[in-house]
Amino acid sequence: MNKKQKRWRNRILIALAIFAVVFALEEFGILTSLFGTPGDVYASFALFLIPYLIAGYDVLYKAWRNIRRGQAFDEAFLMTVATIGAFAMVLFPETEPHMAEGAAVMLFYQVGELFQSYAVGQSRKSISAMMDIAPDYANIEQDGQLVEVDPDEVQVGDIIVVKPGERVPIDGIVTEGVSQLDTAALTGESVPRHVEPGADIISGCINMTGMLHIRTTKHFGESTVSRILELVENASEKKARTENFITRFARVYTPIVTISAVVLAVVPPILGMGAWSDWILRGLTFLVVSCPCALVISVPLSFFGGIGGASKLGILVKGSNYLELLSKVDTVVFDKTGTLTNGTFNVVAIHPESGVDPDYVLSNAAYAEAFSDHPIAVSIREAYSGEIDQARIADAHEESGHGVSAQVDEHVVMVGNDKLMVEHGIDWHDCELTGTILHVTVDGTYVGHIVIADVVKDDAAQTIRDLHAAGVAKCVMLTGDRRDVAEAVGKQLGLDEVHAQLLPADKVSAVERLLNLEHGDAKLAFVGDGINDAPVLMRADVGIAMGAMGSDAAIEAADVVLMDDKPSKISLAIRIARKTMRIVWQNIIFALAVKIGILVLAALGIANMWLAVFGDVGVAMIAILNAMRAMRVKGV
Ligand code: ADP
Ligand code: MG
C-alpha cells in the first residue's frame, strides 16, 4: 500500500469504528433512553452522518463536480443519490429509519474502491517490477577512474563498464571480460547466459559474476530497456473490444437504471399501489444494487493482469486488444529463418568453379555481405576468418529475397540465390546438396557457390505440437529459401503447409490468401524476425516478432514481442490470452447475473438495502480477486 492508500484505509477504519459505536448505541436502546422518542431518531441521524461524511466526503465531492461538468451518471453519482436518499427517509416518520444503511453503503463502497485501487497498484507493480530494468546510470572510464554518468550522455561506440551486480544500461558488444548474465527480467529464463568478448548484450540484463567492458551499439533511448518501457507504457491505450464494450455499456446502463429507479419510486405510489416511503426505499435500493463497479473495474484489470503475467515470461503484448485477438488464433504462420531456425548458418560446402580457389569464393562473399544484417550475411562473415577491410568496399546494396551486390576493390561481386542469377542473366551450376545455396559472381563471371545450412530451434517441433494440441488448426511456414530446404524443415517440424521461394511481397500475398480463408471469428498470427517481413507482421491479425535477434523494425511493427526468440512462447502466449479472456467473461457473466438477480429482488421489494450493499461489494471483491488470477501464469 502506498501512503495515499494507507490514509484512505485509516479513514475507512475510523469511520467503521464510529459506525459500530453508533450502531451499538442505537441497537441497545441507549439513544432512546438518552433522547426519548422521536429524539432518538434525530440523534442517530446526526451520529450516523459522522462516519458517513468521514468515509464518503470525497465521493460526494466527486459526484458534485461531475454534475457541474455535465457528466453525471457515474458510480459516485449513484452512491451519492442512494445514500443521501437513505438519510432523507428520516422525513417519513412512519417508516423505520435507514440512516445506518446509508452510512453502510458508503463505507462498503469505499472498502471496495480501496481494494480495487490496491489491486490495480499490485498488478501495475508487478509489471513495473519486471520493468524495473531501467538503470539510471552508466559507468565510463575517465583517466583510469570509473565515473557514473547519465546513460543518455553515452555515445554510440563508447566503452561502458558494467560491474558485477549491475544492470547493463545500454545495448552493446562485450570487448573485455567474461561473465554470466541474468536475463530473467527480460525473458523469464532463469538459466544464466555466458558471455565473453564479441558477445552481443542487450540492456536490462544483470551482470552476475565478472566485470564487463561493453562497446555500445545503440543510444540509451534506442536500447532494449528504453524500448520495452515505452511499449508497456503504451499498452493500456490499446483497448480490447470487450473492454470498450464495457465502457460503452456503463455509459448507457447508468442513466437507464437511474431513470428506472425514479420510475420505481414515483409511479406505483401515484397509482396508489402503496406508501411513498416504501417505493422510494425500493428505488434507492435499486440504485445501490445497480452500480456496475464490479464490471467496470474487473474487465480492464483482468487484461492488465494478463499483460503483466505475460511480460514476466518475456512476452510483451502491446495492448489488451492483441490479447483478445491472440485468444482466437487458429492459424499461425511462421517465417523460417531466425524464427523456426536459429538463423546461424553453417557453411556445409564451398563448390568453386574449376580453377578457382575456394577461399577466393568465400572471401568475396564475405566482403560483399559486409554491410548486410541478414542472418545469412552474419553467418558468412563469421565463417570467413580474415579481417574485412571496409575501405575496400563501395556501392553495397541488398535486394531482399535475392541477395547482395557490392564493389570490392575494382570488382563487382554478387552473392545470392537462383533468382538473382536469373535477373542478371548469369548461368550457374546446380548443387546436389540440400541447403541454402549462395551463388557468387565476380564481374559477372560465375565463380562458384557456397552451401549453407541452418538448424531448427530446439523447441520448434514442440511448439508446433503444442499449437496443434491447443486447437490451432493450421501451422504454415513461409520462406524465401529453396523448396528442398523448406520441405525438409516442414517435415521435421510437422507443419501443415510450407511455401518456399517467396519474395517479401509474395509473403504478404500468401498471408492475405490465408486471411481470406479464415472464417468467423478466427484470427491469423504471423511470427517473424522482421528481416524482410515487417510488412507481413503489420498485415496479420496479430504480428509476433522475435525481439532479441529481430530487427528494430520488427519490434516496431509487431503487436507481440517475444524477448528470447523462443517459438514455444507463442503457445504460452495463446494460453495466457485464452485464460485472460476466460476470466474476463466469467466476471462479466457473474457480475451481470448477480446484479440482475438483486435488481429484480429490489424492484419486488424483497431485497433490502443491506443485501444490496453486500451484494454489490461482494461481487466487486470476487470479480477483482478473479481478475488477479490472470496475473499468475504458472499453472496456465
Ligand atoms: P526467409 O524467408 O527464410 O526469412 P529471406 O526472405 O530473408 O528468407 O531470404 C530469402 C532468400 O534470399 C535466402 O534464402 C537467400 O537465398 C536470399 N538472400 C536474402 N538475403 C541475402 C543475403 N544477404 N545474402 C545472400 N542471399 C540472400
Ligand atoms: Mg526472414
Short mmCIF file of all heavy atoms in Angstrom, two decimals, residues 403-432:
data_model
loop_
_atom_site.label_atom_id
_atom_site.label_comp_id
_atom_site.label_asym_id
_atom_site.label_seq_id
_atom_site.Cartn_x
_atom_site.Cartn_y
_atom_site.Cartn_z
N GLY A 403 19.55 -11.29 -52.76
CA GLY A 403 20.94 -11.35 -52.31
C GLY A 403 21.53 -9.96 -52.24
O GLY A 403 20.80 -8.97 -52.10
N VAL A 404 22.86 -9.90 -52.35
CA VAL A 404 23.53 -8.60 -52.23
C VAL A 404 24.51 -8.41 -53.38
O VAL A 404 24.92 -9.37 -54.04
CB VAL A 404 24.33 -8.48 -50.91
CG1 VAL A 404 23.41 -8.48 -49.72
CG2 VAL A 404 25.36 -9.59 -50.80
N SER A 405 24.87 -7.14 -53.60
CA SER A 405 25.97 -6.89 -54.51
C SER A 405 26.79 -5.73 -53.98
O SER A 405 26.26 -4.89 -53.24
CB SER A 405 25.45 -6.59 -55.92
OG SER A 405 24.90 -5.30 -55.94
N ALA A 406 28.07 -5.71 -54.30
CA ALA A 406 28.92 -4.63 -53.80
C ALA A 406 30.15 -4.55 -54.69
O ALA A 406 30.50 -5.50 -55.39
CB ALA A 406 29.35 -4.91 -52.37
N GLN A 407 30.77 -3.39 -54.66
CA GLN A 407 32.02 -3.27 -55.38
C GLN A 407 33.16 -3.48 -54.39
O GLN A 407 33.28 -2.78 -53.40
CB GLN A 407 32.13 -1.89 -56.02
CG GLN A 407 33.28 -1.84 -56.99
CD GLN A 407 33.29 -0.54 -57.77
OE1 GLN A 407 32.26 0.12 -57.91
NE2 GLN A 407 34.44 -0.15 -58.26
N VAL A 408 33.97 -4.51 -54.66
CA VAL A 408 35.11 -4.81 -53.80
C VAL A 408 36.37 -4.53 -54.61
O VAL A 408 36.58 -5.17 -55.65
CB VAL A 408 35.08 -6.28 -53.34
CG1 VAL A 408 36.23 -6.56 -52.39
CG2 VAL A 408 33.75 -6.62 -52.69
N ASP A 409 37.18 -3.59 -54.15
CA ASP A 409 38.26 -3.05 -54.97
C ASP A 409 37.66 -2.63 -56.32
O ASP A 409 36.72 -1.86 -56.33
CB ASP A 409 39.40 -4.06 -55.15
CG ASP A 409 40.04 -4.41 -53.81
OD1 ASP A 409 40.01 -3.54 -52.90
OD2 ASP A 409 40.52 -5.54 -53.65
N GLU A 410 38.17 -3.18 -57.43
CA GLU A 410 37.60 -2.74 -58.72
C GLU A 410 36.50 -3.68 -59.20
O GLU A 410 35.95 -3.49 -60.27
CB GLU A 410 38.67 -2.68 -59.82
CG GLU A 410 39.63 -1.55 -59.71
CD GLU A 410 40.72 -1.87 -58.69
OE1 GLU A 410 41.42 -2.89 -58.88
OE2 GLU A 410 40.82 -1.13 -57.70
N HIS A 411 36.23 -4.71 -58.42
CA HIS A 411 35.35 -5.76 -58.94
C HIS A 411 33.95 -5.70 -58.36
O HIS A 411 33.77 -5.42 -57.19
CB HIS A 411 35.96 -7.13 -58.66
CG HIS A 411 37.37 -7.24 -59.14
ND1 HIS A 411 37.67 -7.30 -60.48
CD2 HIS A 411 38.54 -7.26 -58.47
CE1 HIS A 411 39.00 -7.36 -60.62
NE2 HIS A 411 39.54 -7.33 -59.41
N VAL A 412 32.98 -6.00 -59.24
CA VAL A 412 31.60 -6.08 -58.75
C VAL A 412 31.30 -7.51 -58.33
O VAL A 412 31.41 -8.44 -59.13
CB VAL A 412 30.61 -5.65 -59.85
CG1 VAL A 412 29.17 -5.82 -59.36
CG2 VAL A 412 30.87 -4.21 -60.26
N VAL A 413 30.98 -7.69 -57.05
CA VAL A 413 30.71 -9.02 -56.53
C VAL A 413 29.22 -9.14 -56.21
O VAL A 413 28.64 -8.22 -55.63
CB VAL A 413 31.53 -9.29 -55.25
CG1 VAL A 413 31.26 -10.69 -54.72
CG2 VAL A 413 33.02 -9.08 -55.53
N MET A 414 28.63 -10.27 -56.62
CA MET A 414 27.23 -10.51 -56.27
C MET A 414 27.13 -11.83 -55.54
O MET A 414 27.82 -12.80 -55.87
CB MET A 414 26.35 -10.55 -57.52
CG MET A 414 26.18 -9.20 -58.18
SD MET A 414 24.80 -9.20 -59.30
CE MET A 414 25.39 -10.31 -60.55
N VAL A 415 26.27 -11.86 -54.52
CA VAL A 415 26.02 -13.09 -53.78
C VAL A 415 24.52 -13.25 -53.63
O VAL A 415 23.85 -12.31 -53.19
CB VAL A 415 26.64 -13.03 -52.36
CG1 VAL A 415 26.47 -14.38 -51.66
CG2 VAL A 415 28.11 -12.63 -52.42
N GLY A 416 23.99 -14.39 -54.02
CA GLY A 416 22.55 -14.56 -53.85
C GLY A 416 22.05 -15.87 -54.41
O GLY A 416 22.83 -16.78 -54.71
N ASN A 417 20.74 -15.97 -54.57
CA ASN A 417 20.12 -17.23 -54.98
C ASN A 417 19.87 -17.27 -56.49
O ASN A 417 20.26 -16.36 -57.23
CB ASN A 417 18.84 -17.46 -54.18
CG ASN A 417 17.91 -16.25 -54.25
OD1 ASN A 417 18.05 -15.42 -55.14
ND2 ASN A 417 17.01 -16.17 -53.31
N ASP A 418 19.18 -18.32 -56.91
CA ASP A 418 18.88 -18.51 -58.33
C ASP A 418 18.23 -17.27 -58.94
O ASP A 418 18.55 -16.87 -60.06
CB ASP A 418 17.91 -19.69 -58.52
CG ASP A 418 18.53 -21.02 -58.07
OD1 ASP A 418 19.68 -20.99 -57.58
OD2 ASP A 418 17.87 -22.07 -58.22
N LYS A 419 17.30 -16.69 -58.16
CA LYS A 419 16.57 -15.53 -58.67
C LYS A 419 17.51 -14.40 -59.08
O LYS A 419 17.32 -13.74 -60.10
CB LYS A 419 15.61 -15.00 -57.59
CG LYS A 419 14.39 -15.87 -57.37
CD LYS A 419 13.31 -15.05 -56.66
CE LYS A 419 12.04 -15.83 -56.51
NZ LYS A 419 11.93 -16.52 -55.22
N LEU A 420 18.52 -14.20 -58.23
CA LEU A 420 19.48 -13.12 -58.51
C LEU A 420 20.24 -13.42 -59.80
O LEU A 420 20.49 -12.52 -60.62
CB LEU A 420 20.45 -12.99 -57.34
CG LEU A 420 21.42 -11.80 -57.41
CD1 LEU A 420 20.69 -10.50 -57.06
CD2 LEU A 420 22.60 -12.00 -56.47
N MET A 421 20.59 -14.70 -59.97
CA MET A 421 21.34 -15.10 -61.17
C MET A 421 20.49 -14.89 -62.42
O MET A 421 20.95 -14.34 -63.42
CB MET A 421 21.76 -16.58 -61.07
CG MET A 421 22.71 -16.89 -59.93
SD MET A 421 24.31 -16.05 -60.05
CE MET A 421 24.17 -14.82 -58.80
N VAL A 422 19.22 -15.31 -62.33
CA VAL A 422 18.31 -15.16 -63.47
C VAL A 422 18.20 -13.68 -63.83
O VAL A 422 18.30 -13.30 -65.00
CB VAL A 422 16.92 -15.73 -63.13
CG1 VAL A 422 15.92 -15.38 -64.24
CG2 VAL A 422 16.99 -17.23 -62.91
N GLU A 423 18.05 -12.88 -62.82
CA GLU A 423 17.86 -11.45 -63.03
C GLU A 423 19.02 -10.83 -63.80
O GLU A 423 18.83 -9.94 -64.61
CB GLU A 423 17.73 -10.78 -61.66
CG GLU A 423 17.22 -9.37 -61.71
CD GLU A 423 17.13 -8.79 -60.31
OE1 GLU A 423 17.98 -9.15 -59.45
OE2 GLU A 423 16.23 -8.01 -60.06
N HIS A 424 20.24 -11.35 -63.53
CA HIS A 424 21.41 -10.77 -64.19
C HIS A 424 21.89 -11.61 -65.36
O HIS A 424 22.97 -11.39 -65.88
CB HIS A 424 22.54 -10.55 -63.17
CG HIS A 424 22.19 -9.49 -62.18
ND1 HIS A 424 22.48 -8.16 -62.36
CD2 HIS A 424 21.52 -9.57 -61.00
CE1 HIS A 424 22.03 -7.46 -61.34
NE2 HIS A 424 21.44 -8.29 -60.50
N GLY A 425 21.08 -12.62 -65.73
CA GLY A 425 21.41 -13.45 -66.88
C GLY A 425 22.72 -14.20 -66.72
O GLY A 425 23.50 -14.32 -67.67
N ILE A 426 22.97 -14.69 -65.51
CA ILE A 426 24.21 -15.42 -65.30
C ILE A 426 23.91 -16.91 -65.13
O ILE A 426 22.98 -17.28 -64.41
CB ILE A 426 24.94 -14.88 -64.04
CG1 ILE A 426 25.31 -13.41 -64.27
CG2 ILE A 426 26.18 -15.70 -63.73
CD1 ILE A 426 25.74 -12.69 -63.03
N ASP A 427 24.64 -17.77 -65.82
CA ASP A 427 24.43 -19.21 -65.67
C ASP A 427 25.09 -19.69 -64.39
O ASP A 427 26.14 -19.20 -64.00
CB ASP A 427 25.07 -19.95 -66.86
CG ASP A 427 24.23 -19.75 -68.11
OD1 ASP A 427 23.00 -19.54 -67.96
OD2 ASP A 427 24.80 -19.77 -69.23
N TRP A 428 24.46 -20.67 -63.78
CA TRP A 428 25.03 -21.21 -62.55
C TRP A 428 25.01 -22.71 -62.57
O TRP A 428 24.34 -23.31 -63.41
CB TRP A 428 24.26 -20.68 -61.34
CG TRP A 428 22.88 -21.24 -61.21
CD1 TRP A 428 22.53 -22.35 -60.51
CD2 TRP A 428 21.67 -20.74 -61.79
NE1 TRP A 428 21.19 -22.58 -60.62
CE2 TRP A 428 20.63 -21.60 -61.40
CE3 TRP A 428 21.38 -19.65 -62.62
CZ2 TRP A 428 19.32 -21.40 -61.78
CZ3 TRP A 428 20.06 -19.46 -62.99
CH2 TRP A 428 19.05 -20.32 -62.59
N HIS A 429 25.72 -23.32 -61.65
CA HIS A 429 25.70 -24.77 -61.52
C HIS A 429 24.79 -25.19 -60.39
O HIS A 429 24.85 -24.62 -59.31
CB HIS A 429 27.13 -25.29 -61.25
CG HIS A 429 27.92 -25.41 -62.50
ND1 HIS A 429 29.26 -25.09 -62.57
CD2 HIS A 429 27.55 -25.78 -63.75
CE1 HIS A 429 29.69 -25.27 -63.80
NE2 HIS A 429 28.66 -25.68 -64.54
N ASP A 430 23.93 -26.18 -60.67
CA ASP A 430 23.07 -26.69 -59.60
C ASP A 430 23.91 -27.44 -58.58
O ASP A 430 25.06 -27.80 -58.85
CB ASP A 430 22.01 -27.62 -60.19
CG ASP A 430 20.73 -26.86 -60.46
OD1 ASP A 430 20.47 -25.90 -59.70
OD2 ASP A 430 20.02 -27.20 -61.43
N CYS A 431 23.31 -27.70 -57.45
CA CYS A 431 24.04 -28.38 -56.40
C CYS A 431 23.24 -29.58 -55.96
O CYS A 431 22.01 -29.53 -55.87
CB CYS A 431 24.27 -27.43 -55.23
SG CYS A 431 25.37 -28.11 -54.00
N GLU A 432 23.95 -30.70 -55.69
CA GLU A 432 23.21 -31.91 -55.32
C GLU A 432 22.90 -31.92 -53.82
O GLU A 432 22.13 -32.72 -53.34
CB GLU A 432 24.00 -33.16 -55.74
CG GLU A 432 25.27 -33.47 -54.95
CD GLU A 432 26.43 -32.49 -55.20
OE1 GLU A 432 26.30 -31.62 -56.09
OE2 GLU A 432 27.43 -32.59 -54.49
#
